[in-house]
Amino acid sequence: MNGLLHRAKGDKVIWTIVFFLSVVSLLAVYSSTGSLAYRLRNGHTEYYLIKQLTVLGLGLLIIYFAHRVNYTVYSRIAQIGFIISIPLLCYTLAFGRNLNSAARWINLPVINLTFQTSDIAKLALFMYVSRQLSRKQGVIEDFRKGFLPIIVPVGLICIMIMPANMSTALLLGASCMLLCFIGRVPVKYLAAMIGCMVGIVLLLFVFASLTGNKMRTATWVSRIESFSSGDDKDMPYQVQQANIAIAEGGVLGKGPGNSNQRNFLPHPYSDFIYAIIIEEYGIFGAFLILIAYMLLLLRSIRIFKKCPFAFGAFLALGLSFTLVIQALANMAVNVHLFPVTGVTLPMVSMGGSSVIFTSLAIGIILSVSRNVEETELKRIEKERIERVLEQQREAGLNIAV
């Protein structure tokens, strides 16, 4: 274990954030699943805690091994991952497991593992877009040669995710647009793409209403209407219970394990875990969680600025964008600043595949950070050797004189 810790490289602040969020996850999951485990697991209240501990342990191992890989390897596998994600999304739409009227999951029969294919698609897409942005910088202002090879994959993946998971598709598209803006894609092209995406969403609603197709449009409309009405009577049940949890939390909270709303709030261990954290740890605890994600973004921006190669810079920034934007969306839903979505809080909410792919994303960010550190150390060592040689030459000249 000491050997692993000694060999762990990369941004130490990001490592600290990972461990902090992991501890928060264990505390919040244990508190929010105690009564659920007691009912479903014959009184074994630690069942979900042990399960989450196992998943987080696996996630930390994934982060470690992913950060030991040179990030240039991810450029080579970006195309493969993108190509694989397309048939996986198609299969999910056709034969995926339905939960809350949404086909988002597929089962692996041999190991009996259920995962969201959108998690694979998001990771593959950001690697692919980062690769394309780095390769197309010379022709980035050319619509056909620079813009289309970047934006077509983004639109394709978002459209395939949209029928089952509108919120994930919109957040993914927003993250990619932001990364493209930083990658010097002309604003007029991005504005046109945003207009096209809005048109596609409207066409999706029209198609569903005309054909009677059982898509999730009714759910989307009801969520938007309940959020925009401003009437407490129209507020969804889970939002009402989340508001009660936040109100009871106050400044310092009720203390670890003392949540009352975990017994009433739907999905207190995943979508609404942030409300449970506020109830138990107060506004102070909520602020610490927000600061952790903001620090992750700031440290990734620092990596972006220092990385000497475009692919690594775009990769680190793009992956941090998707994690932080997802976290902000989850927190906004919990405090009723955003319509209800199905996104979880990265590295905190209980989960299997979501934790695994989040860990892989963080590992890739740390891989870029490790490379930046090693490049910086080599530069410093080279400058030191040059200074020593210069001093030796000056000393030799003085002796000769």
Side-chain angles (χ1 to χ4, degrees):
M1 186 64 180
N2 289 332
L4 288 176
L5 293 175
H6 179 71
R7 296 183 64 188
K9 305 295 183 181
D11 194 297
K12 298 300 186 291
V13 175
I14 295 180
W15 276 109
T16 303
I17 292 170
V18 169
F19 285 114
F20 169 71
L21 293 178
S22 298
V23 172
V24 171
S25 175
L26 291 175
L27 292 173
V29 167
Y30 182 51
S31 175
S32 59
T33 59
S35 58
L36 178 66
Y38 186 84
R39 293 195 310 269
L40 300 181
R41 299 294 170 177
N42 298 321
H44 297 292
T45 56
E46 295 84 9
Y47 173 82
Y48 292 108
L49 171 65
I50 296 172
K51 181 179 178 180
Q52 185 70 359
L53 179 61
T54 303
V55 172
L56 287 173
L58 178 60
L60 289 174
L61 286 176
I62 290 174
I63 292 174
Y64 173 78
F65 287 112
H67 104 288
R68 296 294 302 178
V69 176
N70 192 308
Y71 73 87
T72 56
V73 174
Y74 299 113
S75 175
R76 293 194 288 270
I77 66 174
Q79 285 183 303
I80 299 174
F82 172 72
I83 293 172
I84 291 174
S85 64
I86 294 175
L88 280 176
L89 289 173
C90 292
Y91 179 85
T92 304
L93 288 174
F95 307 105
R97 178 183 173 186
N98 282 278
L99 185 62
N100 296 330
S101 302
R104 304 177 185 175
W105 293 264
I106 62 174
N107 291 320
L108 297 179
V110 178
I111 59 177
N112 195 27
L113 175 67
T114 302
F115 69 96
Q116 292 193 56
T117 49
S118 59
D119 290 329
I120 299 177
K122 286 192 297 183
L123 188 60
L125 180 61
F126 273 107
M127 289 194 294
Y128 186 79
V129 170
S130 299
R131 172 188 169 92
Q132 291 293 85
L133 279 173
S134 63
R135 292 165 63 92
K136 301 292 183 180
Q137 284 298 298
V139 292
I140 198 66
E141 295 187 1
D142 187 289
F143 181 80
R144 184 175 61 85
K145 295 180 180 180
F147 180 66
L148 286 182
I150 297 171
I151 212 64
V152 168
V154 175
L156 179 63
I157 294 297
C158 289
I159 290 172
M160 296 180 72
I161 294 175
M162 193 177 294
N165 199 339
M166 173 72 78
S167 56
T168 296
L170 293 178
L171 293 175
L172 178 59
S175 301
C176 290
M177 292 296 103
L178 187 57
L179 182 61
C180 288
F181 175 75
I182 294 174
R184 300 192 310 113
V185 172
V187 175
K188 59 182 180 181
Y189 294 160
L190 295 179
M193 184 61 189
I194 293 172
C196 290
M197 292 301 293
V198 172
I200 290 172
V201 172
L202 294 176
L203 287 175
L204 192 63
F205 277 92
V206 172
F207 174 80
S209 61
L210 292 177
T211 61
N213 193 291
K214 294 182 179 180
M215 301 174 69
R216 303 190 72 227
T217 52
T219 302
W220 305 332
V221 171
S222 64
R223 287 177 175 179
I224 294 173
E225 288 180 346
S226 63
F227 175 77
S228 58
S229 67
D231 190 349
D232 292 343
K233 295 180 180 179
D234 296 331
M235 190 179 297
Y237 173 77
Q238 60 265 44
V239 175
Q240 295 178 9
Q241 300 304 316
N243 287 345
I244 294 172
I246 294 169
E248 292 184 350
V251 178
L252 298 178
K254 300 168 69 175
N258 292 325
S259 170
N260 184 53
Q261 292 307 114
R262 62 188 174 186
N263 300 315
F264 304 97
L265 185 61
H267 305 293
Y269 44 83
S270 57
D271 297 358
F272 284 88
I273 198 168
Y274 190 61
I276 301 300
I277 292 173
I278 297 176
E279 183 181 7
E280 294 189 351
Y281 301 96
I283 301 300
F284 177 75
F287 183 72
L288 288 180
I289 300 294
L290 179 61
I291 288 297
Y293 287 110
M294 290 298 99
L295 274 177
L296 173 62
L297 179 60
L298 289 175
R299 301 302 290 187
S300 298
I301 292 174
R302 179 175 178 269
I303 296 171
F304 170 80
K305 290 180 177 180
K306 289 192 171 185
C307 186
F309 302 105
F311 172 70
F314 290 133
L315 186 61
L317 196 60
L319 291 176
S320 66
F321 276 158
T322 186
L323 293 178
V324 174
I325 289 176
Q326 179 180 331
L328 292 176
N330 176 274
M331 290 185 279
V333 169
N334 276 249
V335 299
H336 198 41
L337 293 177
F338 200 75
V340 175
T341 65
V343 297
T344 56
L345 196 58
M347 288 302 291
V348 176
S349 295
M350 186 176 76
S353 63
S354 61
V355 174
I356 298 303
F357 287 106
T358 298
S359 299
L360 183 55
I362 294 174
I364 294 173
I365 294 173
L366 286 170
S367 172
V368 179
S369 174
R370 180 178 67 86
N371 184 272
V372 169
E373 285 185 355
E374 291 176 352
T375 303
E376 185 71 10
L377 288 175
K378 289 179 181 178
R379 184 187 65 81
I380 294 174
E381 181 65 18
K382 181 180 178 181
E383 291 179 353
R384 188 189 66 83
I385 293 174
E386 289 177 350
R387 284 197 302 270
V388 170
L389 292 175
E390 182 65 24
Q391 291 172 357
Q392 290 176 348
R393 285 194 294 268
E394 290 178 355
L397 289 174
N398 292 334
I399 292 173
V401 173

